[in-house]
Amino acid sequence: MDHLTFIYPELDIEPIAQNLIRTMRLDEDCQSPLAHKNLWDQTDIAVITYGNSILSDNQPPLKTLHHFLQAHFPMLINTVHILPFFPYSSDDGFAVSAYKQVDPPLGDWSDILRISADFHLMADLVINHCSAQHEWFTNYQKGKSPGRDFFVEVDPKEDLSKVVRPRVTPLLRATSTPRGTQHVWCTFGHDQIDLNFANPKVLAKIVDIIRLYLDMGVRIFRLDAVAFIWKILGTNCLNLEETHEIVRLLRTLIEHADPNAVIITETNIPNRENLSYFGNANEAHCIYNFSLPPLLVNSLVTGNCRYLKNWLMSMPPAQNGTTYFNFIASHDGIGLRPVEGLLDDSEQEALIQTMENFGGQISWRALDDGSNKPYEINISLFDALKGTTAGEDDWQLERFVCAHAIMLALEGIPAFYLHSLVGTTNDYERMKEHGHNRAINRRQWQEQELNERLADPESHHHKVFHKLRRLIKLRREQPAFHPNATQFTLHLGDHVFAFWRQSLDRRQSIFCLNNISDQPQTVSLNAINLIGTDTWKDLVSDATFDDMLASITLDPYQTLWISNRW
C-alpha cells in the first residue's frame, strides 16, 4: 500500500494492492525475507549467454547449452544468465513479442526447468518496452484491450529535448489507431514500444509475468533498461523517483514470494546514478558494475591504472544483502556512459581509436542539441586486448587473462560472458549479416567445432579456457573473495593495479597485485605490509614469500594472489 500510494497518489490503491498480492499468491504463501542477508558467497560464478550461442544438430539449443555447461564447468559455474529466450521481433531478443512463451527455435519451458534445476537461473524481465508485434501493441492499434491504454502517447509538439536516450532514432513513432494518428514513445527504437507504467494495469501484467518466471525456476531477475520506465514531460525521464519506487515494490513482492530470489538492475548510466539503485538495501540486491569494463580495458591498453584506481577508491562497500555484479564483457558492448566524469574526453578518444584499430565498431546516442555521441564500443574482449595504444603485440593472451583475474578478485559476484570463456574473436560475418554492430560479439558456435578447438592445446581457445577455469577454481576456494569481504585499494604506482581483500571472519587476507603493463614491474613486499608472523603464498604460482623485505618482479600482465591461508 505504501509503495502504491507513492506511485499512484490519485488512485484508489487498495484493490490494486490486493490484485498484486493475489497474482503473486502471497495470500496463500507469504514468506518473510531477512534484511541484509547475503544470498551469495565466493563460490558464486555466473555465465552470460544467449540460448543459441552453442548449436548442435537435431537438438534444441537450450539442451545443447545445458549439456555444454554440465560437461565443461562442473562445480565451477553455478549461475546461468540466459539472455531473452522469448519470442521476439528484433534486437536479438530484447523486443519481446510474447513474455510467457519460450521461443520455439530454442526449446520450451521444460528445457528452462531442467537448467534451473542444475543452476541458479537468471532471466531478463524486459520491463521498459515490448515488441511492436506484441499482442498488446496490435490491440492498441485496433483500440482493443488489453493494450489499448498500455503505451505512452505524446503530442509531437511537446518539448522533449531533455529526454536522455541511448539511440539516435526518433523518440516518437506515428501510429494509426481508431482515434486517429497517435505518437507513441520509443526509447530504444520503433520496434520497441515503451510501456506506460502510469497505468496500474501495466504493472499488474508485469507482476503476473514475474509470478510465471518464479514458477519456471527463475531465481534472479535482471530488470532490463529499468531506469527509463517512468516518464514525466519536462524532465530527462531517467531515474525518476517513481522508477525507484517501482523497483522497491517489485523487490517487496518477489522476496515475499521467494526470500532467495534476487533482483539485479541493468542501468547503463553514469556511475553515481547507477549506485542509486541499491537504495537503502531495499531496491536491487545487485547492480551491474558498468564502469568496470571500460576502465579496465583502458588500463590494460594504456598500461596505466590511475583512472581505474581512482574509481575503485570512490566505490562504497556494498551493504550486506547487496553486492556488485562484475562483468567485463557482454552481449552488448563496452559502455561509455558509465565513464562520464571518470575518463576525460582525450582518454575516451584514445580508447575508441585503439578499439577501432583492433576491429571494433562504435554505436552512438543522440544528445539534446541534435548531435550524436559515442555510446558504446562493440568488440569481442579477446580482440579488444590484442595490443596497447601503440598497436598489436604478443601479450594478448596474458592481457586477457589478467583482465579476468582482476574481475574474479574484486568485491562482488563475477560474471563471464560465454564468448570470453572460450576466447571468441570478432565475428564480422555475423555483424554484416545482421546489420548492427553488436552482432560482432554474438557468435553462434557449432558445439562439435568448439569442443575440437577447446581440446586442441595449440588453440588460443584451449589456452584461454583452461587458464580461466583454473582461476575460477582458485577463487571459489578463498573466503577472502566473498562478494562482501573487505576491500582496500593499494598504492603501488600506475603500472600495478593492487588491492587487498579480507574474509568476513578476518582469518584470510589476500593481496591482489596485477601488472597491467607490457613491462616487468618490481614491488617491495614491505610496501604491501605483509605480516611477518604469517606465511604467505601466491595462490596463482604457488611461490612462497619468507623475506618480508624482499622485492618481487611481476612479468607483463602477471597476477599475484598473495594469501596467508590456502
Side-chain angles (χ1 to χ4, degrees):
M1 295 281 283
D2 288 342
H3 295 309
L4 291 168
T5 298
F6 184 91
I7 301 166
Y8 305 113
E10 305 300 322
L11 299 181
D12 178 6
I13 51 89
E14 183 168 357
I16 300 172
Q18 293 303 322
N19 178 51
L20 297 181
I21 288 170
R22 284 193 301 270
T23 298
M24 290 293 284
R25 300 200 292 273
L26 301 183
D27 53 340
E28 303 171 12
D29 180 19
C30 183
Q31 303 185 56
S32 298
L34 294 176
H36 301 288
K37 178 184 178 182
N38 293 325
L39 300 173
W40 41 77
D41 62 25
Q42 64 272 15
T43 66
D44 285 290
I45 309 284
V47 62
I48 304 166
T49 179
Y50 278 102
N52 58 1
S53 290
I54 304 176
L55 306 173
S56 61
D57 295 335
N58 304 316
Q59 183 171 256
L62 287 172
K63 281 189 172 67
T64 303
L65 173 65
H66 190 192
H67 174 263
F68 182 85
L69 293 174
Q70 285 180 314
H72 293 291
F73 297 102
M75 305 303 293
L76 291 177
I77 300 292
N78 68 351
T79 301
V80 180
H81 174 202
I82 305 177
L83 291 155
F85 47 81
F86 321 106
Y88 68 97
S89 55
S90 64
D91 199 17
D92 278 0
F94 286 92
V96 178
S97 55
Y99 285 96
K100 291 189 170 186
Q101 300 175 28
V102 174
D103 197 19
L106 293 179
D108 56 33
W109 281 117
S110 67
D111 298 307
I112 294 297
L113 284 167
R114 276 189 287 270
I115 293 172
S116 69
D118 290 335
F119 300 92
H120 301 321
L121 178 61
M122 178 171 165
D124 290 274
L125 187 66
V126 184
I127 194 170
N128 179 70
H129 51 262
C130 69
S131 164
Q133 295 181 21
H134 194 286
E135 177 190 23
W136 297 338
F137 192 64
T138 57
N139 282 348
Y140 169 81
Q141 293 171 302
K142 298 172 184 176
K144 295 171 53 179
S145 292
R148 180 177 58 192
D149 49 359
F150 277 21
F151 302 95
V152 181
E153 298 177 345
V154 181
D155 186 336
K157 296 178 183 177
E158 292 280 357
D159 181 7
L160 302 172
S161 61
K162 292 183 179 179
V163 175
V164 171
R165 299 195 57 224
R167 298 290 186 272
V168 295
T169 53
L171 176 62
L172 302 181
R173 165 180 162 157
T175 304
S176 296
T177 76
R179 296 174 289 113
T181 298
Q182 302 295 327
H183 293 81
V184 293
W185 194 294
C186 304
T187 297
F188 290 89
H190 286 186
D191 189 45
Q192 293 165 291
I193 319 298
D194 284 39
L195 295 166
N196 181 15
F197 278 86
N199 180 354
K201 294 178 184 176
V202 171
L203 175 64
K205 287 290 187 183
I206 295 299
V207 171
D208 183 51
I209 292 164
I210 289 172
R211 181 64 259 183
L212 172 67
Y213 292 0
L214 283 169
D215 292 340
M216 292 297 107
V218 174
R219 178 185 164 188
I220 305 168
F221 291 84
R222 176 185 183 270
L223 305 189
D224 177 66
V226 68
F228 299 92
I229 64 173
W230 196 270
K231 283 79 174 171
I232 297 178
L233 295 182
T235 74
N236 65 3
C237 300
L238 186 68
N239 309 316
L240 299 183
E241 283 302 315
E242 290 83 356
T243 296
H244 283 279
E245 196 65 41
I246 289 173
V247 174
R248 289 191 282 269
L249 169 62
L250 296 181
R251 163 80 176 258
T252 297
L253 291 168
I254 289 171
E255 69 181 4
H256 281 82
D258 181 357
N260 292 314
V262 169
I263 288 177
I264 298 182
T265 49
E266 188 270 331
T267 47
N268 192 359
I269 51 181
N271 192 56
R272 184 179 294 272
E273 298 170 37
N274 187 33
L275 288 167
S276 70
Y277 283 86
F278 276 140
N280 186 25
N282 61 349
E283 294 188 32
H285 294 87
C286 306
I287 62 170
Y288 274 80
N289 220 341
F290 274 108
S291 297
L292 177 60
L295 288 173
L296 182 52
V297 170
N298 181 72
S299 294
L300 288 163
V301 300
T302 62
N304 189 312
C305 64
R306 177 163 56 96
Y307 294 100
L308 180 64
K309 189 165 54 176
N310 288 342
W311 164 77
L312 191 67
M313 287 189 293
S314 74
M315 293 295 280
Q319 296 185 53
N320 282 328
T322 67
T323 195
Y324 296 102
F325 194 71
N326 293 328
F327 74 106
I328 53 177
S330 75
H331 61 290
D332 288 339
I334 301 171
L336 294 173
R337 286 218 71 203
V339 291
E340 291 178 7
L342 300 175
L343 281 183
D344 60 36
D345 289 344
S346 63
E347 287 283 334
Q348 289 191 49
E349 290 170 7
L351 176 62
I352 289 170
Q353 183 61 59
T354 302
M355 295 300 99
E356 288 183 317
N357 292 342
F358 297 159
Q361 306 294 312
I362 307 301
S363 295
W364 301 79
R365 69 182 181 94
L367 300 180
D368 56 11
D369 62 2
S371 64
N372 297 332
K373 185 175 182 178
Y375 175 69
E376 70 181 12
I377 303 165
N378 305 112
I379 190 170
S380 79
L381 186 63
F382 192 71
D383 281 328
L385 297 175
K386 65 168 56 175
T388 68
T389 52
E392 296 184 25
D393 59 25
D394 296 328
W395 296 106
Q396 182 177 16
L397 176 62
E398 291 80 5
R399 193 179 290 114
F400 184 76
V401 172
C402 177
H404 288 92
I406 290 171
M407 179 185 75
L408 281 165
L410 284 170
E411 174 189 359
I413 298 170
F416 290 83
Y417 188 38
L418 179 66
H419 288 299
S420 292
L421 282 169
V422 298
T424 304
T425 56
N426 290 339
D427 191 338
Y428 300 108
E429 290 184 10
R430 186 171 179 83
M431 182 179 67
K432 182 178 180 180
E433 176 187 351
H434 286 258
H436 62 85
N437 292 344
R438 286 178 167 178
I440 198 172
N441 197 23
R442 298 179 179 179
R443 179 168 180 168
Q444 290 180 313
W445 282 100
Q446 288 295 321
E447 185 181 27
Q448 181 177 349
E449 178 190 1
L450 180 55
N451 283 336
E452 289 172 356
R453 296 201 186 187
L454 294 178
D456 177 6
E458 299 303 315
S459 164
H460 83 263
H461 303 282
H462 172 93
K463 295 172 184 176
V464 163
F465 182 70
H466 286 277
K467 286 179 180 293
L468 294 185
R469 274 172 51 100
R470 180 171 181 270
L471 288 175
I472 291 170
K473 183 176 185 297
L474 281 173
R475 178 228 156 73
R476 287 172 52 94
E477 296 169 348
Q478 315 310 320
F481 286 155
H482 186 287
N484 294 86
T486 299
Q487 176 174 285
F488 282 106
T489 308
L490 303 178
H491 300 276
L492 300 176
D494 289 338
H495 306 305
V496 177
F497 179 56
F499 48 95
W500 172 69
R501 303 294 310 278
Q502 184 182 60
S503 59
L504 297 176
D505 63 8
R506 300 186 179 181
R507 294 178 61 194
Q508 184 186 34
S509 287
I510 300 180
F511 291 86
C512 306
L513 279 58
N514 305 275
N515 181 358
I516 50 84
S517 78
D518 59 3
Q519 299 297 317
Q521 300 296 326
T522 299
V523 174
S524 169
L525 291 177
N526 188 49
I528 58 176
N529 294 318
L530 298 184
I531 298 173
T533 55
D534 286 347
T535 302
W536 297 90
K537 174 181 174 181
D538 173 29
L539 300 173
V540 180
S541 69
D542 286 333
T544 56
F545 305 97
D546 300 318
D547 182 359
M548 298 299 105
L549 299 178
S551 293
I552 53 175
T553 299
L554 283 77
D555 293 332
Y557 307 107
Q558 182 180 358
T559 289
L560 301 180
W561 288 345
I562 303 175
S563 175
N564 63 343
R565 180 182 173 188
W566 57 89

